[in-house]
Amino acid sequence: MTTVRDVLVSELRAQRRRVIATLDGLPEEALTRSRLPSAWSPLGMVRHLTHDVERFWFRGVVAGERLALPTDDEVWHPTTWPGARAVVEAYEAAAAQSDAVIESTPLEALPSAAAMATYPWAPARSLLETVLHVITETATHAGHLDIARELVDGHQHLVLTEFADPTAGSAGGAPGTGPT
């Protein structure tokens, strides 16, 4: 029987995979270079998702751990960039820890008083609301990475013409049958 928790975790994992897949095949230089006025790079985005999203929301706010989080500048613009593999492995490890917190916490659970004292700016919302927030944030940033990737080498994760034109794409399938 599929539960709400199963659906949430499945969707969160799908968005995480999309983040990692978007980086696949990019040269190291493209991973640490920004092509945008806001100056973030693809690896900076993955580091943001690792520390400010996965670690902060699940281990910090939900599980109540007091975390030594890096500063925004250390996340987005480290003096020395870790290798791409190390950044992806850290993201995958943080995601696995998040999944463990999600699996062991009731969906209606609110952050503890200790967690709220440690992170007073965090909203006191249930695990369910937090998971929905993280799915939204991860999907949003996956879209940002899609755009950054297209600026680097033209690769598009989601090709809209395949949805709008039933004759486009692999087998000339119906709209909505293209890649997601």
Side-chain angles (χ1 to χ4, degrees), residues 4 14-15 35 42 49 51 56 61 78 90 94 109 115 141 148 156 158 180:
V4 169
Q15 293 307 321
R35 297 180 182 273
L49 287 166
H51 298 289
F56 173 73
V61 176
H141 290 324
Q156 297 176 347
L158 176 64
T180 58

Side-chain angles (χ1 to χ4, degrees), residues 43-65:
L43 282 188
M45 182 64 75
V46 175
R47 288 171 52 84
H48 164 67
L49 287 166
T50 301
H51 298 289
D52 304 329
V53 179
E54 296 285 349
R55 290 183 67 227
F56 173 73
W57 286 113
F58 293 115
R59 288 181 50 206
V61 176
V62 174
E65 287 184 44

Side-chain angles (χ1 to χ4, degrees), residues 15 18 45 134-146:
Q15 293 307 321
R18 183 172 163 215
M45 182 64 75
V134 171
I135 290 169
T136 301
E137 187 163 359
T138 304
T140 298
H141 290 324
H144 294 141
L145 285 166
D146 285 341

